[in-house]
Amino acid sequence: MPLDTFERSTPRLFNRGPTPLVRLLLATTLGIFLMVADSRFGIGSTARSVTATVLAPLQWLGAQPVKTVNLLGTYVTTVETAKQTQEQAATLMAQQALKAQRADLLMRENQSLRELLSLEQALPIQARAAEVVYIAPDPFTRRVVINKGSSAGIVEGAPVIDASGLLGQVLRVYPLSSEVTLIDNPEHATPIINSRTGERGLAYGDSQSPQASALEVRFMASNADFRVGDVLTTSGLGGVYPAGLPVGTVSLVDRRSNTSFTRVQATPAAKPLALGYVLVLEPQEQVKSEAVAAAASAARTPQRKGPAGKERPGQGAKR
């Protein structure tokens, strides 16, 4: 057989093509070209969008097993948490019922003692619910805006509380909204009393840290009996705040040797910059004046006795 009939070219199976170095250079050049083109002309946005659209069902399908496992774990955790929450709620309800019973007993004892000592009865507290809808962007003003105004019966100077304690005082009243200055405003004074010792004072916003929520009991003598952890409440002086509202807890007592005053810092009981619902109380002076006017009106109303010996209000005596 002649030799020229055999194929002398390299078999296709062993044809390796360009060298690895050439392939690397080609891939690098192509990558740089695509990056520059994408950066300059954004040609890759369409490709990425199409790729993401095509791969979205595959991604969703691949994530389902993990989501199923997480859902089962969350369900078990939720059931256990619900049981614990139910037990805690039952315990809390029992504690609240006990506190309510004790509070009712204390109120009756207080009323009996006041009648025995001929003291003035405590004024009723009337409140209106409102919602904090806006927080002043300037941290130095320390104000919030509520969604109730003069049309809802809100008046200037009214105390404002939240679920934890005293929040502030109504500064300006508009028809449909009101501005509330917070108790941690450095220019706002709150008459307080130390529930442990009976020490009285005035709490202002801490002027040394105006951006932080802190109170400062100013002008306290160096021998004032304040300790960390003491609870401060409203004293009832000034005719604005009713007595007994939580104001804050003492967090720092600094007795300096170079001054005759003690620096007392406290953490507010309320959450001044938290959006939520609040209660707007009536100023105690207004409540007192209304009570006095009602008592005077009742005293001016003449009464006479009926046939059964009972008095009939609103009728004059026969002559």
Side-chain angles (χ1 to χ4, degrees):
M1 179 181 240
L3 295 178
D4 54 356
T5 59
F6 290 97
E7 185 178 0
R8 299 181 181 181
S9 60
T10 305
R12 183 173 300 180
L13 178 65
F14 301 98
N15 188 6
R16 304 178 63 181
T19 62
L21 180 60
V22 174
R23 294 181 180 181
L24 177 62
L25 292 176
L26 290 176
T28 304
T29 304
L30 180 61
I32 294 175
F33 171 75
L34 291 176
M35 287 189 294
V36 172
D38 186 25
S39 175
R40 293 286 185 177
F41 308 105
I43 63 174
S45 301
T46 304
R48 284 192 293 268
S49 178
V50 173
T51 304
T53 304
V54 173
L55 294 180
L58 299 178
Q59 293 175 349
W60 177 86
L61 185 61
Q64 292 311 303
V66 178
K67 289 185 177 180
T68 303
V69 174
N70 293 336
L71 182 61
L72 293 176
T74 305
Y75 174 76
V76 175
T77 306
T78 304
V79 172
E80 295 179 355
T81 305
K83 292 182 179 179
Q84 296 177 359
T85 304
Q86 183 180 6
E87 295 176 357
Q88 294 176 358
T91 304
L92 182 60
M93 288 180 62
Q95 294 176 353
Q96 293 295 336
L98 178 60
K99 290 182 179 180
Q101 295 173 4
R102 292 177 61 86
D104 186 49
L105 176 61
L106 292 175
M107 289 180 63
R108 290 198 299 267
E109 291 180 352
N110 186 21
Q111 183 177 0
S112 300
L113 289 175
R114 285 181 175 275
E115 292 177 354
L116 180 62
L117 299 175
S118 299
L119 295 178
E120 183 181 359
Q121 294 295 328
L123 297 175
I125 299 178
Q126 300 179 1
R128 294 177 176 85
E131 183 180 3
V132 178
V133 295
Y134 180 74
I135 298 176
D138 186 1
F140 295 93
T141 58
R142 314 300 291 180
R143 295 177 188 173
V144 296
V145 177
I146 59 177
N147 63 345
K148 294 294 179 65
S150 58
S151 60
I154 306 299
V155 297
E156 292 186 2
V160 181
I161 65 173
D162 65 0
S164 302
L166 182 63
L167 184 68
Q169 185 179 10
V170 176
L171 180 65
R172 294 186 180 91
V173 179
Y174 307 104
L176 299 178
S177 63
S178 301
E179 290 186 12
V180 178
T181 180
L182 304 176
I183 59 173
D184 57 355
N185 190 320
E187 299 180 358
H188 181 72
T190 304
I192 57 95
I193 184 172
N194 189 338
S195 59
R196 182 180 62 86
T197 63
E199 291 270 359
R200 298 178 184 270
L202 293 175
Y204 295 81
D206 192 355
S207 58
Q208 298 186 11
S209 57
Q211 296 184 354
S213 180
L215 300 176
E216 179 185 9
V217 184
R218 300 179 185 174
F219 315 119
M220 299 305 301
S222 58
N223 59 351
D225 190 4
F226 280 87
R227 299 177 185 174
V228 175
D230 286 349
V231 177
L232 307 180
T233 61
T234 52
S235 62
L237 299 179
V240 177
Y241 303 114
L245 297 178
V247 176
T249 304
V250 176
S251 58
L252 174 66
V253 179
D254 186 10
R255 292 183 172 88
R256 301 176 182 178
S257 58
N258 58 350
T259 180
S260 58
F261 295 101
T262 299
R263 183 171 183 266
V264 179
Q265 191 180 55
T267 302
K271 300 177 181 179
L273 297 181
L275 293 174
Y277 292 94
V278 297
L279 289 178
V280 182
L281 312 180
E282 291 189 1
Q284 291 300 286
E285 284 294 337
Q286 179 178 349
V287 176
K288 186 175 181 180
S289 61
E290 292 177 357
V292 171
S297 177
R300 289 194 300 268
T301 303
Q303 298 177 348
R304 72 177 181 87
K305 292 184 178 180
K310 297 183 179 179
E311 295 183 351
R312 297 180 180 177
Q315 299 181 5
K318 292 185 179 180
R319 299 193 179 183

